[in-house]
Amino acid sequence: MQDTPLTTLAGVNAPEKYLLQFNNVEALKELLITYMVHSVGKDPAFATHQDWYYALCFLLRGILSERYINTTRAQYANKSRRVYYLSMEYLLGRQLNKNLLDLGIQGKVRDALAGLGQNLDTLIEIEHDPALGNGGLGRLAACYLESMVTHGYPGFGYGVRYDFGLFSQSIRDGQQIEHPDNWLRHGNPWEFKRPDVVYKVKFYGRSQCVENEDGHRRCEWLDAEPVIAMAYDMPIAGYGNDNVTNLRLWTARATGDFDLQKFNQGDYIKAVEAKTESETLSKILYPDDSTLSGQELRLKQEYFFVSSSLQDIIARFLRDHEDLDTLAEKTVIQLNDTHPALAIAELMHLLMDDHGYRWDKAWAITSSTFAFTNHTLLPEALERWPVAMLRHVLPLHLEIIYRINAQFLKKVQNIWPGDAAKLRTLSLIDDHEQSARMAHLAIVGSQKVNGVAKLHTELLRTNMFPEFDEMYPGKFINVTNGITPRRWLLQANPLLSALISEHIGAEWPRDLSQLSRLEPLVDDDAFKTRFMAIKAANKVRLAALIGKETGIDVDPAFLFDAQIKRIHEYKRQLLNVLHIITRYNRIREGRLPVAPRVIIFAGKAAPGYFMAKLIIRLIHDVAARINADPVAGDYLRVVFIPDYSVARAEIIIPGSDLSEQISTAGMEASGTGNMKLALNGALTIGTLDGANIEIAEAAGAENIFIFGLKAQEVESRRREGYSPWEVYHANAELKRALDMIGQGFFSPHEMDRYLGIYHALLDHGDHYMLLADYASYMACQDEVDTAYTDVPGWARKAVLNVARLGAFSSDRSIHDYARNIWNVEPLAKS
């Protein structure tokens, strides 16, 4: 049965065979009607747009399912080493248009739907972005899965099926309001529920360890409270081939539905209390951890994720192997940041306590199986868990972490005998804070550790983890992040994609390095004219989105200046606000800019991050003042597009002229928004931080606007005693802008609303060096204005940015991972 062709298994109506009929619009219409009746259960005569959306999705899902089975069979037949990608986030974006492009049938489907009185674009807009991520981390994971399957690597994703994701953002009186993002309200037509794929995940209780006569120590987890993890599968298609992989998402279920005895006694709340508490584990992404209960929920969520995933990986492995001796030879597990770091302790637990391995053998397998990607240079973002909380929630795993630490510290002592400071620095347990360091656990338990940009990796090795780098020569390597060109150019910018294909052919979506063939066209006036006309059309589309979402009319002839990213102090939206206020003051004085601007913000602030939410409110107050001032109207508009998402990014990015990448040097690990915007012809204004450095090297220094302190200069200024007050008093424009914020110019009904920002910048050290970079930033913005007025020159720079961004494809990143970390090969036919 295992080798039976799928077309035989499925009969004559196998969805894969439908592709043969997709060139026949009438046959395709019949297929859609069939799915409407058989799968959606609706009469086509009365079907809604949403019904037709589901009929189309179910048809495509059948094709993807067959291809996934065939892909998996080929990988197992090839005895491929498999990559399992563990990420707490996946920002997948809408899948309908992606799958149509991947299958190469978008045009025929559009024609067939038109024949049924439906518009494909209307159906695409029905789809809700899957709320499975927050920002760059989750979008990167989605790009990497897509690149793995496009190039035939045997990769498989694991995540959590959050009921409500992060949150949906609205703006009320300038303030962020969070709402549950009920993305599953109408179901998810792409997923397969797997009630037969369930695992028990334990919490609390106590551990009891017994040493056998032969010295083998085994532990039991007693009096634990179990939760059931149940799988949902989402097929992820490759582009331009028959490959499909899977993203397995876990949802939490109680071991029992409810307490019937309590229900019959009339205690209805208590009857379902255990069920409700269990299922909170997969309710939302990143519960607010400003309280101990929130921290505990997040810890449980992370362990729930890694335990279910590892149990599933082991179950898969044991289908074809008698034991786990060769697990590390056939499997690599990639940890996407520190969130899944508990997987190291969990694999040790499973190997020793469930499968009878001794410590040394279990550790040899574990430490050869994992690889770890670090995504941050912010010490506060490296997860730590209080020892007391670990002892309460995961008692067995705390013992394992202690034992790993004891073994590791013996090695440290051998290398640096008598050096107590080294022991404190490298220990997996911070004795002072009584916390477990998850990044340290991930480093010690992984065969490779990678940073995500050249500067980031260098700073990991020299500033953040120099002792680990010295202990483990060659363990730390760099894999610069990348983005999928299928989503971020082919799908998001069809007009530019068509122009590119017209000139260099249609192979570039699978090999982005081919964009370099556009370089000879940088001095072709006809090409540049068409290039800029496409940018203008995309700006019209973006202006329509701005008007719809904010009620503000903007002129597409203005320079569109975008800062679209998570709201955080180190990303320095505040520096942009200072620039906006200064620009506004100059306009009021009659110093009119040569290039009028629309300055566009989008992004969410973590619910418990007070300062980030205050920055959002300041942006809105500044925007309200400027947008209402008739003097500024012809030169400056400021907008904040709410509820930033992948779908909205696909409109904002192609329509932007300028990309704000202005983080404090040495604090942004890489960034991927910088790549997406540059690939769509936006010029970058930024610091020498993260991947900006590599983009500048690739695009050419003359085609990017760089300002500000370098990473080493930031550290030097801090060591030398940086004084924000000195900068404030030395720069009249800066002083005026800050005073307007601090003295209530933008909040006349609450004069002290922004005193917290004012004091953070002046009295509390200006940690992110906004004031230190202000003058350089303003001078660079003046350069932007001048450059934008030179239309042919700007077009030339924009084309070169597109032509030279080939190295920033996620395909290149995945090839680097496969070659330098995973040691895997693609299937030959891919």
Side-chain angles (χ1 to χ4, degrees):
M1 184 69 169
Q2 185 173 354
D3 296 323
T4 306
L6 288 185
T7 50
T8 302
L9 287 174
V12 295
N13 291 321
E16 181 67 30
K17 295 178 70 176
Y18 293 164
L19 282 180
L20 300 176
Q21 303 176 48
F22 270 41
N23 286 327
N24 185 329
V25 172
E26 291 304 314
L28 180 52
K29 287 164 61 177
E30 290 298 320
L31 290 176
L32 287 167
I33 291 170
T34 298
Y35 268 81
M36 177 64 72
V37 174
H38 291 178
S39 298
V40 183
K42 287 289 189 74
D43 182 342
F46 302 102
T48 64
H49 295 314
Q50 185 153 308
D51 294 330
W52 286 109
Y53 162 74
Y54 274 96
L56 177 56
C57 291
F58 288 145
L59 170 57
L60 298 177
R61 187 182 69 166
I63 297 169
L64 298 181
S65 178
E66 287 191 10
R67 289 188 170 193
Y68 169 64
I69 293 170
N70 286 329
T71 301
T72 303
R73 285 182 177 183
Q75 289 172 356
Y76 278 112
N78 197 46
K79 301 186 184 302
S80 302
R81 189 183 197 204
R82 294 177 70 81
V83 178
Y84 296 103
Y85 199 85
L86 269 59
S87 178
M88 287 289 287
E89 298 185 37
Y90 290 91
L91 265 179
L92 297 171
R94 293 169 172 169
Q95 294 296 291
L96 176 54
N97 200 26
K98 173 194 181 300
N99 288 328
L100 291 172
L101 288 169
D102 289 339
L103 295 171
I105 56 176
Q106 186 192 62
K108 293 300 180 183
V109 168
R110 184 181 295 278
D111 293 343
L113 286 169
L116 294 167
Q118 299 297 312
N119 182 282
L120 176 59
D121 295 332
T122 300
L123 302 195
I124 289 171
E125 287 301 313
I126 287 172
E127 185 170 7
H128 198 302
D129 276 32
L132 301 172
N134 174 23
L137 184 78
R139 186 50 236 172
L140 184 79
C143 285
Y144 281 0
L145 267 190
E146 193 264 5
S147 282
M148 277 189 262
V149 69
T150 292
H151 290 279
Y153 291 109
F156 192 100
Y158 282 102
V160 178
R161 183 181 181 267
Y162 304 104
D163 292 350
F164 297 104
L166 187 67
F167 60 84
S168 175
Q169 179 197 59
S170 67
I171 304 296
R172 185 187 307 156
D173 298 326
Q175 299 181 78
Q176 172 178 290
I177 306 297
E178 299 99 21
H179 310 275
D181 188 355
N182 193 6
W183 73 285
L184 292 169
R185 179 173 59 249
H186 299 296
N188 176 12
W190 301 109
E191 68 185 8
F192 292 94
K193 185 178 181 179
R194 306 295 190 196
D196 57 321
V197 182
V198 293
Y199 299 99
K200 187 177 290 186
V201 180
K202 300 177 182 178
F203 299 100
Y204 307 116
R206 58 191 175 87
S207 62
Q208 180 174 294
C209 300
V210 178
E211 192 168 296
N212 298 337
E213 293 180 359
D214 61 357
H216 179 40
R217 191 169 185 260
R218 296 188 69 169
C219 297
E220 288 186 88
W221 198 342
L222 304 175
D223 305 323
E225 298 179 14
V227 171
I228 298 298
M230 185 175 74
Y232 283 77
D233 288 345
M234 281 187 68
I236 306 295
Y239 175 80
N241 58 27
D242 295 339
N243 296 332
V244 173
T245 190
N246 191 53
L247 172 58
R248 176 156 286 177
L249 302 170
W250 301 107
T251 189
R253 294 289 182 262
T255 52
D257 286 332
F258 67 100
D259 189 323
L260 184 60
Q261 185 176 357
K262 283 188 171 65
F263 186 87
N264 288 335
Q265 292 170 353
D267 194 348
Y268 307 125
I269 294 176
K270 282 287 185 183
V272 297
E273 186 176 65
K275 173 180 170 63
T276 302
E277 184 175 345
S278 296
E279 295 179 2
T280 58
L281 289 176
S282 55
K283 281 293 179 192
I284 65 169
L285 168 67
Y286 299 154
D288 184 357
D289 58 1
S290 60
T291 64
L292 283 175
S293 60
Q295 291 173 27
E296 183 173 310
L297 177 57
R298 185 161 174 172
L299 171 62
K300 290 174 66 178
Q301 191 179 69
E302 292 183 3
Y303 177 68
F304 166 81
F305 164 50
V306 301
S307 177
S308 51
S309 300
L310 283 172
Q311 290 183 69
D312 194 53
I313 290 169
I314 287 174
R316 287 171 173 274
F317 189 82
L318 290 176
R319 291 177 194 167
D320 296 311
H321 301 82
E322 294 183 358
D323 55 41
L324 298 169
D325 289 359
T326 58
L327 180 68
E329 297 170 26
K330 294 294 184 179
T331 301
V332 59
I333 302 173
Q334 186 70 41
L335 305 176
N336 193 27
D337 217 0
T338 54
H339 309 128
L342 281 167
I344 291 165
E346 174 68 359
L347 184 55
M348 290 295 291
H349 157 57
L350 294 172
L351 289 171
M352 293 188 300
D353 302 325
D354 288 6
H355 296 277
Y357 282 84
R358 292 175 176 271
W359 176 272
D360 288 345
K361 180 64 174 176
W363 182 247
I365 293 171
T366 297
S367 58
S368 299
T369 298
F370 289 101
F372 166 51
T373 301
N374 173 279
H375 282 280
T376 185
L377 289 164
L378 303 177
E380 64 270 21
L382 296 175
E383 284 190 313
R384 297 169 175 239
W385 293 113
V387 167
M389 186 178 291
L390 281 170
R391 183 178 291 113
H392 176 58
V393 177
L394 301 171
L396 197 58
H397 294 72
L398 179 61
E399 289 196 24
I400 291 171
I401 292 170
Y402 273 135
R403 195 169 174 188
I404 293 171
N405 194 42
Q407 175 178 281
F408 169 65
L409 291 182
K410 286 181 182 178
K411 293 183 179 179
V412 176
Q413 286 179 315
N414 289 336
I415 297 171
W416 294 290
D419 192 336
K422 283 287 194 296
L423 292 175
R424 286 193 299 271
T425 298
L426 292 168
S427 176
L428 275 60
I429 305 296
D430 186 326
D431 289 328
H432 177 69
E433 294 186 5
Q434 279 296 292
S435 61
R437 297 160 163 162
M438 290 297 101
H440 288 204
L441 175 63
I443 293 169
V444 171
S446 296
Q447 40 119 353
K448 288 289 184 182
V449 178
N450 73 278
V452 291
K454 289 178 182 177
L455 175 64
H456 172 238
T457 302
E458 183 61 27
L459 291 174
L460 286 181
R461 296 180 60 201
T462 58
N463 289 13
M464 187 165 277
F465 301 120
E467 295 87 359
F468 282 109
D469 186 51
E470 187 175 349
M471 276 192 75
Y472 299 113
K475 176 176 275 197
F476 287 80
I477 67 170
N478 179 61
V479 179
T480 297
N481 284 346
I483 58 172
T484 169
R486 276 78 62 182
R487 168 76 64 172
W488 295 111
L489 188 50
L490 184 67
Q491 181 174 330
N493 201 339
L495 296 176
L496 181 55
S497 297
L499 179 65
I500 292 170
S501 295
E502 178 186 326
H503 284 83
I504 67 171
E507 295 302 313
W508 61 266
R510 282 178 57 92
D511 178 10
L512 202 61
S513 67
Q514 293 195 26
L515 291 185
S516 63
R517 293 165 57 197
L518 294 173
E519 280 211 43
L521 298 170
V522 297
D523 294 315
D524 183 323
D525 291 339
F527 178 83
K528 287 190 294 183
T529 297
R530 291 179 63 190
F531 183 95
M532 294 307 290
I534 288 168
K535 175 63 74 174
N538 287 329
K539 291 172 72 174
V540 169
R541 182 176 61 155
L542 173 52
L545 175 69
I546 291 169
K548 177 184 175 183
E549 296 299 330
T550 70
I552 299 169
D553 292 328
V554 297
D555 186 346
F558 283 26
L559 186 159
F560 278 17
D561 175 351
Q563 189 173 17
I564 47 173
K565 55 186 73 244
R566 180 166 51 97
I567 310 299
H568 196 290
E569 289 167 275
Y570 89 85
K571 294 180 182 288
R572 301 205 297 189
Q573 284 89 357
L574 263 179
L575 180 58
N576 199 353
V577 171
L578 290 172
H579 149 245
I580 292 167
I581 295 171
T582 302
R583 182 174 287 267
Y584 176 53
N585 287 336
R586 291 177 180 176
I587 292 169
R588 293 167 71 212
E589 293 171 352
R591 297 160 59 194
L592 303 179
V594 294
R597 286 202 202 191
V598 178
I599 299 179
I600 303 161
F601 292 94
K604 297 178 181 180
Y609 192 172
F610 171 80
M611 184 59 79
K613 295 174 83 169
L614 190 62
I615 291 169
I616 289 177
R617 192 173 191 185
L618 175 60
I619 290 169
H620 281 86
D621 279 345
V622 170
R625 183 65 179 246
I626 292 172
N627 294 339
D629 189 335
V631 174
D634 291 335
Y635 303 99
L636 181 62
R637 306 288 269 176
V638 182
V639 299
F640 188 104
I641 300 174
D643 208 25
Y644 187 50
S645 64
V646 174
R648 293 195 171 174
E650 290 172 10
I651 297 174
I652 299 170
I653 288 170
S656 297
D657 295 304
L658 187 68
S659 166
E660 298 272 352
Q661 309 297 330
I662 60 176
S663 54
T664 312
M667 291 197 169
E668 183 72 81
S670 171
T672 53
N674 46 8
M675 304 171 191
K676 295 162 193 166
L677 283 149
L679 185 62
N680 281 272
L683 305 191
T684 301
I685 180 169
T687 52
L688 286 173
D689 194 28
N692 290 355
I693 298 170
E694 292 160 73
I695 291 174
E697 292 171 353
E702 69 280 9
N703 300 309
I704 188 171
F705 301 95
I706 294 297
F707 74 93
L709 300 172
K710 299 176 182 177
Q712 61 270 31
E713 293 170 338
V714 169
E715 292 303 317
S716 296
R717 289 288 292 272
R718 286 176 177 155
R719 283 195 305 269
E720 293 165 3
Y722 168 59
S723 171
W725 280 106
E726 289 183 8
V727 181
Y728 166 85
H729 286 299
N731 191 309
E733 286 192 314
L734 171 63
K735 181 179 185 299
R736 184 180 180 189
L738 278 169
D739 288 347
M740 290 168 73
I741 292 171
Q743 295 171 12
F745 180 85
F746 299 104
S747 54
H749 302 296
E750 188 183 344
M751 303 291 286
D752 60 353
R753 179 178 294 171
Y754 300 113
L755 276 179
I757 290 175
Y758 182 83
H759 290 308
L761 294 177
L762 290 170
D763 296 325
H764 302 303
D766 182 23
H767 181 69
Y768 298 102
M769 295 282 182
L770 279 72
L771 276 58
D773 277 349
Y774 168 84
S776 176
Y777 182 49
M778 290 304 305
C780 203
Q781 290 286 11
D782 291 341
E783 292 177 27
V784 170
D785 282 346
T786 301
Y788 190 70
T789 60
D790 175 9
V791 176
W794 186 276
R796 189 179 197 281
K797 293 174 186 292
V799 171
L800 283 171
N801 268 266
V802 175
R804 294 174 176 177
L805 259 285
F808 298 93
S809 169
S810 53
D811 299 344
R812 188 270 314 149
S813 302
I814 287 302
H815 293 320
D816 286 352
Y817 275 101
R819 181 173 55 252
N820 300 325
I821 297 178
W822 300 337
N823 190 27
V824 296
E825 296 288 338
L827 290 178
K829 67 177 182 179
S830 300

